[in-house]
Amino acid sequence: MDPISPLEQTLHAARALVLADLVASRVAEPDVVSLVEESVVQRRWWVEQWPEGAEFVAGLVAQDVQDALLERYGRWPLCPVCGSGDPHALDVEPELGPDPHWVCGKAGVKVAAVGSLGGAVGGVEGAPS
C-alpha cells in the first residue's frame, strides 16, 4: 500500500473538518456531502498549482460549501451566539489563511475553529434557512 501524499492528507483533513461541522449542524445529507466532495476536487487542482496554499485548504473548502449551500438551500452555519434579530450565517476568517475559524461578524466573536462547531455553545442546531 502506497503512503498517502501530503496533498491527499491535507485534502482528507479539510474534508473531515467540514464534514464534522455539517454533522454538528445536522445538515450532512448525501447531497450536501456531495458539495464537500466537489469542493475537494476543485481544491486539489488549486493546491497542485499553488502548493504553498495547502494550509489554507480547510478554510477554503468550508467557504466553498457555505457558498454552495447558500445557492441551493440557505445560510449555513447559523450563528449560535446572537439570540435576537434576523438569523445570520457565520463567516470563515481568515478568508485566505491558516487556522480558519467560524466567526460572528455581527457580534465580533470567534465561535469555533473550522471542524469544531459541535463544541460551540452547546453545538449548532437547525438546518440552513
Side-chain angles (χ1 to χ4, degrees), residues 31-102:
D31 57 334
V32 175
V33 172
S34 293
L35 298 174
V36 177
E37 297 306 321
E38 290 170 22
S39 174
V40 168
V41 167
Q42 293 171 0
R43 293 304 171 180
R44 177 178 286 111
W45 178 87
W46 185 83
V47 175
E48 287 170 347
Q49 304 309 305
W50 189 45
E52 297 82 19
E55 65 184 330
F56 309 150
V57 170
L60 291 170
V61 170
Q63 290 174 56
D64 291 345
V65 171
Q66 186 178 42
D67 291 346
L69 279 170
L70 181 60
E71 290 175 15
R72 295 180 189 189
Y73 303 105
R75 294 171 286 213
W76 174 82
L78 292 178
C79 179
V81 175
C82 297
S84 62
D86 291 331
H88 57 277
L90 298 173
D91 299 315
V92 175
E93 288 187 7
E95 287 185 24
L96 184 62
D99 192 29
H101 280 73
W102 293 108

